[in-house]
Amino acid sequence: MAGLAPDASSLTAARRLARPGPWSDTGSTPTLLWGKCQGSGKTPYQVSIDLIGPAFRCSCPSRKFPCKHGLALLLLWVDGSGSVADADEAAGFAQEWASERSARAEAKAAGDAAKSTRTPDPAAAAKRLEERLALMDGGMDDFARWLTDLARSGTASARQQSYAWWDGTAARLVDAQLPGLADDVRSVGGAVSGRPDWAERLLVALGRWWTATRAWSARESLGEDQLGDLRAYLGWSTSTESVRRADAVTDRWLVLGAHRSDDGRLQQQRTWLRGNASGEIVQVLDFAAGGQVLPVARVVGSSLDATLARYPGAAVRRALFVDEPAVADDRGRMPSGASLEEARSAAAQAWGRNPWARRVPVVLADVRVGVDRVVDADGASVRLTDDADVWPLLALTGGRPARVFGELEESRLRPLTVVVAGDGGGSGDGDGEVVGL
């Protein structure tokens, strides 16, 4: 259940509402769950849940998804105390929502089928590709000159620049259809003006940026995986149709952890999966812009039987579900983990294969959590990212060694999952409760 909540505060609020008092007109069928929750206003909120997805809808104004009302209704139903009765037919508002979802799914399938029957125009496609490459060539040449000027003036001078200076460079990259590189420039620009370790981060970024300019100029000689990593970094997307037709693998996948971010323009959800047979770790990315909402997060620690198609790339592979995965009955077992030295060595190898990877997944064994870092059994430590949700992690571990899954992002760690063992230990073969942060 915790894996469905957008944050810890939503789950806490939902648990307070998961009692019969605020609810009326509740009911359930094998596929739908519904009810009305009395809020501060006169009209109760209408809450509907598609149990197959799961998918949620609530008439409250909350921007969180799912909101506390949807989580509370699910908790009330799972409790099984009889507060939510079985019904032969769904309530009108729930059935209407379910019908709308079904109609949208059918329309999308019909649209996809229509697109697949269209005959592509090779000449028009070639012209569009030529125009884009010309824009990207010009943008990369301009960026290379900007980098050269920055190196000549010295990195200390970058500290004196306003954010508008960085944003202007990023805007030119967007105009050149290089949005991924633009996002990286903006991120580093913010770090240079606001972080104490700005010099280290800028130096690493300069190497990453220069490598990208050189790789782009030599792209004709790159292998498919190297070009795939470069394209992903620059923001030149690969069509999902081509990915589905290429490299796919069927396995039972453990949901290691997930993270959501929102920069005000675009919401992103990263879900990390590990194949039971292959041992490979991949990330599934979901995006939402404008009024869109992200799909419900997969439950951390659950296992999914699914076929994943992998995007081209050498390291830290991205993947997508070919079909809707089936949730396995058994819970997965978190890998035993490694020391910080071993994790950093594995991350260095990944960055050696893909220097543009933003982050590398790691499982750490026997680490103790502090307010700003974790320390392993050998005494090695790593600082936590600024957005790390450290207080739930401290509460769950209580100062005891624990197994933690997270993302190494440059020189910092973002914890996403902790294994809370019954005996307080965090090592071993994977036993213990897996809790998403």
Side-chain angles (χ1 to χ4, degrees):
M1 182 65 67
L4 296 175
D7 51 45
S9 62
S10 296
L11 184 59
T12 300
R15 284 171 174 156
R16 289 197 295 266
L17 284 173
R19 53 187 178 83
W23 293 91
S24 62
D25 299 331
T26 58
S28 68
T29 67
T31 59
L32 279 176
L33 176 63
W34 63 88
K36 295 180 180 180
C37 184
Q38 185 63 54
S40 57
K42 179 180 178 180
T43 305
Y45 298 128
Q46 295 180 348
V47 187
S48 306
I49 303 175
D50 182 340
L51 297 172
I52 303 299
F56 296 77
R57 180 189 179 277
C58 181
S59 60
C60 78
S62 174
R63 293 185 60 190
K64 294 183 179 181
F65 189 83
C67 68
K68 62 182 180 182
H69 307 106
L71 292 170
L73 179 57
L74 194 58
L75 285 168
L76 193 64
W77 176 68
V78 170
D79 178 61
S81 61
S83 301
V84 181
D86 295 335
D88 295 330
E89 294 184 2
F93 66 89
Q95 186 59 57
E96 181 181 358
W97 172 67
S99 299
E100 290 174 355
R101 277 175 50 83
S102 178
R104 286 196 299 269
E106 291 176 1
K108 184 179 183 300
D112 291 342
K115 289 180 181 178
S116 66
T117 60
R118 295 175 186 168
T119 303
D121 184 345
K127 184 178 180 180
R128 289 195 298 269
L129 176 60
E130 182 181 359
E131 292 172 348
R132 169 154 195 171
L133 289 174
L135 276 173
M136 296 175 73
D137 283 338
M140 292 299 279
D141 289 343
D142 176 67
F143 186 62
R145 288 190 293 271
W146 180 83
L147 280 176
T148 302
D149 291 341
L150 176 56
R152 285 173 178 168
S153 59
T155 55
S157 66
R159 179 77 164 180
Q160 310 305 318
Q161 299 289 348
S162 68
Y163 184 74
W165 183 73
W166 300 92
D167 192 53
T169 300
R172 294 196 300 274
L173 290 170
V174 171
D175 291 340
Q177 298 196 24
L178 297 161
L181 181 54
D183 286 343
D184 196 15
V185 170
R186 287 194 177 101
S187 175
V188 173
V192 168
S193 61
R195 280 178 47 161
D197 59 347
W198 68 271
E200 176 186 352
R201 183 162 186 190
L202 177 58
L203 186 61
V204 171
L206 290 175
R208 181 169 64 243
W209 294 340
W210 187 252
T211 301
T213 64
R214 297 304 89 197
W216 178 256
S217 63
R219 63 182 180 276
E220 298 296 337
S221 63
L222 297 181
E224 181 182 0
D225 287 343
Q226 292 175 313
L227 184 59
D229 286 329
L230 178 60
R231 284 183 55 154
Y233 174 62
L234 297 180
W236 186 3
S237 61
T238 302
S239 69
T240 56
E241 291 79 8
S242 64
V243 174
R244 291 177 187 276
R245 292 194 301 265
D247 184 19
V249 59
T250 300
D251 205 337
R252 173 162 291 183
W253 301 90
L254 170 66
V255 182
L256 291 174
H259 178 70
R260 285 186 173 186
S261 61
D262 185 351
D263 63 4
R265 298 177 294 109
L266 184 69
Q267 299 178 72
Q268 183 191 93
Q269 178 172 272
R270 293 190 299 275
T271 304
W272 294 97
L273 306 172
R274 182 181 186 272
N276 183 52
S278 65
E280 181 181 11
I281 297 178
V282 298
Q283 59 177 325
V284 175
L285 299 182
D286 295 298
F287 300 95
Q292 297 177 325
V293 294
L294 289 168
V296 176
R298 304 288 174 180
V299 178
V300 174
S302 63
S303 292
L304 307 175
D305 290 326
T307 298
L308 288 177
R310 295 171 292 189
Y311 285 74
V316 195
R317 300 285 295 275
R318 179 186 171 188
L320 58 82
F321 291 109
V322 175
D323 299 301
E324 183 64 23
V327 179
D329 293 334
D330 60 319
R331 298 280 290 182
R333 299 168 68 85
M334 186 68 68
S336 58
S339 68
L340 265 171
E341 181 180 357
E342 293 168 332
R344 283 171 170 150
S345 176
Q349 294 178 31
W351 278 314
R353 298 171 62 196
N354 177 10
W356 309 293
R358 301 288 183 92
R359 52 197 65 88
V360 175
V362 295
V363 182
L364 301 176
D366 293 330
V367 293
R368 295 181 185 270
V369 182
V371 293
D372 66 345
R373 66 183 64 240
V374 298
V375 183
D376 71 5
D378 298 327
S381 68
V382 59
R383 287 182 62 86
L384 301 179
T385 57
D386 293 337
D387 63 351
D389 200 2
V390 66
W391 299 113
L393 185 58
L394 283 167
L396 288 165
T397 58
R400 298 182 297 272
R403 186 182 306 108
V404 172
F405 168 76
E407 301 168 337
L408 270 182
E409 195 166 272
E410 296 183 354
S411 60
R412 297 193 180 191
L413 174 73
R414 177 181 295 105
L416 300 181
T417 306
V418 60
V419 179
V420 183
D423 60 359
S427 58
D429 61 0
D431 292 330
E433 182 183 2
V434 180
V435 181
L437 301 172

